[in-house]
Amino acid sequence: MSKTSGSVSETANPFELPLNDEAFFEAVDLQRKIEAILFASAEPIGTSELSERLRAAKRDVEAAMDVLVEHYAKRGVVLRKIAERWAFRTADDLKHVLHREAVEQKRLSRAALETLAIIAFHQPVTRAEIEEIRGVSTSKGTLDVLMETGWVRMRGRRRTPGRPVTYGTTTEFLDHFGLESIRDLPGLDELKGSGLLDSAIPASFKVPVPDDNAELSEDEDPLDEDDLFALSESEEEGGATESKANKGDALK
């Protein structure tokens, strides 16, 4: 950090406050306000939202975020960027000390994990397209479980006969798996290196480039209230017994 005016010497601590430096005082004040907002927020917050809320220039907010990221880098909580938004999270090496406070998670079935992976890499994707890639039918309960976790959402409807629902991942998916963006998912070389892919796969085999753009694609229509009501009604009348059984299968 540069030297301050007067007799105040250079300091390595970005949170020391030379009171005779008005610009530095304002910068630290902005950092404190950002800290307070992020700690109190239940959801990640974007730089633009912080700038608007604090009536501060976006570049000043970005500079403050850089200081805070460095400050918390070796603390028990770290400041993490998630899908262009910011949130405080427990440091990765300390997650084990919270195991007693953590909610016990049920393991997803292989079918649910395969479906989640297909949605992540191929979104927007319909149920029929998921089944074509997997080579087997996908129960509605599997998709219900993934949506209940908050990792998968209904995006819209494909502009094809029958107008099937399209699915995509959510910000909660990125947050849970520690991804800054969907493009941080492993590529072909990484999958080979981890042993998840056979080294003798066909030369023509390619891993799709994932894209979770919130805007609907050219072949998608938005979901409206009538669609959501019809979907909800069909779920209730389409057989609650089958849904329960399928959900059980998805969590086995």
Side-chain angles (χ1 to χ4, degrees), residues 3 23 31 49 54-56 71 81 92 108 111 120 132 141 157 169 175 197 212 230 236 240 246:
K3 293 184 179 181
Q31 294 162 21
E49 184 178 345
L54 296 171
R55 297 181 180 179
H71 176 72
K81 195 174 186 181
D92 290 338
L108 293 176
E132 182 179 356
R157 286 188 175 276
T169 55
D175 190 6
L197 282 180
D212 61 353
E236 293 177 1
N246 287 337

Side-chain angles (χ1 to χ4, degrees), residues 7 51 63 90 93 100 124 144 148 159 162 229 235 238 247:
S7 61
S51 175
T90 303
D93 62 328
R100 291 187 178 179
D144 287 342
E148 286 174 6
R159 293 178 183 173
F229 178 78
E235 287 173 4
K247 287 182 182 179

Side-chain angles (χ1 to χ4, degrees), residues 25-84:
F25 178 88
E26 292 177 354
V28 174
D29 186 55
L30 179 60
Q31 294 162 21
R32 295 178 67 241
K33 290 177 180 177
I34 292 173
E35 272 184 305
I37 292 174
L38 292 178
F39 267 119
S41 177
E43 302 291 338
I45 301 179
T47 304
S48 297
E49 184 178 345
L50 287 169
S51 175
E52 181 178 351
R53 186 167 176 177
L54 296 171
R55 297 181 180 179
K58 189 174 180 180
R59 64 177 180 275
D60 293 337
V61 173
E62 291 173 344
M65 297 307 301
D66 290 340
V67 173
L68 291 171
V69 167
E70 183 177 355
H71 176 72
Y72 283 97
K74 296 183 180 180
R75 311 277 301 192
V77 292
V78 295
L79 189 54
R80 185 164 292 164
K81 195 174 186 181
I82 305 164
E84 301 304 318

